[in-house]
Amino acid sequence: WWKGSLKTRDAQGRYPNEAPWQCPTLPVGGPSLWLPCMVRAYTPPTERKKFYQNVSISQGEGGFEINLDNRKLKTPQAKLFTVPSEALAIAVATEWDSQQDTIKFYTMHLTTLCNTALDNPSQRNKEQLIRAAVKFLETDTVCYRVEEPTALVELQKNEWDPMIEWAEKRYHLMNGSSTSIMGPNIPARTKDTFTSHLASYNMWALQGNEYVITQLKSLILSMGLLDRHITVEKAVLLSRLEEEYQIQHWGSVEWAHDYDMYELRARTAAGTLFAHLCSESSTVKHKLLQD
């Protein structure tokens, strides 16, 4: 079934109703059961019984590898799971080591991102990744404003304007906001500036950045995170500003609201950490991460 699903990708190279390249694969020599990678809405996330005891990392010719009971982890396309930095390898190994009786793949965001970077299921190059990121400016969360109610208008102005002002000062550009359904008019110079800046990141870091952008629906908030200008908690709150306003006035489903908030924080934090670790050139000792 899993191999057959490779033939059903859409024009963007993704599977229908799928979370981006989420399913980790089995280690070499592990059980032969293939795991479904398609995650449909309102269905329980994929889990399976834990089949290993010990997790370790080792350095190979292509980088750092993950070992489950001395068996090497591989990607969904059966490539050797190899990451470029020791720090990232330790972080991924921690995801696998923290699993209990069952492996909850939907909690392993760093593993997901590594699989995406290694397999590149959509077959995009660096230029295409950058172009997709910059295109988010046209629908950026902090650039779309409401005209009413007045309280929400003021809230967006007070919370979102400082982020736009920061971006304009940080990247020496002009950006704007709009209440029109057509969105703001983004100057070509602004797009060129972001394109040039993103070109300084490697392919792995760009994958992490795109993951953050899709969570927050905002390139500006994503860049604020990568530049350590705002925290993950702040970025998530800003991305959900209108929703939080509505909840304060109309209430919410208690458990659902909290769950969505924590999930969004987890994914955003993982994407930010991934981008940072993939941008670091130096290795990090085990004790540094343990501390």
Side-chain angles (χ1 to χ4, degrees), residues 123-269:
Q123 296 299 303
R124 290 181 298 168
N125 57 31
K126 184 174 182 178
E127 180 182 349
Q128 290 170 316
L129 282 173
I130 294 173
R131 189 162 59 245
V134 173
K135 189 172 179 59
F136 260 91
L137 278 173
E138 300 171 5
T139 56
D140 199 292
T141 295
V142 302
C143 295
Y144 269 85
R145 306 297 175 88
V146 298
E147 294 181 312
E148 58 180 355
T150 303
L152 182 55
V153 172
E154 287 299 312
L155 183 63
Q156 290 179 341
K157 177 180 174 60
N158 293 337
E159 297 293 336
W160 285 349
D161 278 4
M163 283 303 306
I164 293 180
E165 292 168 2
W166 167 82
E168 290 177 341
K169 182 178 180 180
R170 167 67 176 82
Y171 299 106
H172 307 290
L173 52 81
M174 290 299 296
N175 207 46
S177 60
S178 173
T179 59
S180 169
I181 193 172
M182 301 300 294
N185 181 24
I186 307 298
R189 179 173 173 269
T190 295
K191 295 181 180 180
D192 291 342
T193 299
F194 275 116
T195 297
S196 178
H197 178 76
L198 290 170
S200 65
Y201 291 92
N202 59 43
M203 281 283 290
W204 284 62
L206 286 172
Q207 294 279 8
N209 185 38
E210 182 180 59
Y211 189 71
V212 174
I213 292 173
T214 57
Q215 305 307 314
L216 303 176
K217 306 299 186 293
S218 171
L219 174 60
I220 293 176
L221 292 178
S222 175
M223 298 313 298
L225 275 174
L226 292 185
D227 276 7
R228 297 179 172 88
H229 174 67
I230 54 176
T231 65
V232 168
E233 290 79 5
K234 180 69 172 179
V236 168
L237 181 61
L238 291 176
S239 74
R240 291 167 54 97
L241 200 62
E242 185 171 354
E243 181 177 352
E244 293 299 317
Y245 172 84
Q246 297 295 344
I247 287 172
Q248 289 178 11
H249 283 74
W250 304 106
S252 67
V253 179
E254 184 177 352
W255 65 268
H257 170 257
D258 293 341
Y259 180 83
D260 288 345
M261 175 71 79
Y262 291 133
E263 273 294 294
L264 183 54
R265 285 180 181 175
R267 292 191 296 270
T268 302

Side-chain angles (χ1 to χ4, degrees), residues 47-51 98-104:
E47 296 184 19
R48 66 157 299 166
K49 184 176 176 59
K50 186 176 179 180
F51 57 86
S98 65
Q99 303 302 308
Q100 302 299 317
D101 295 333
T102 59
I103 308 171
K104 296 178 172 59

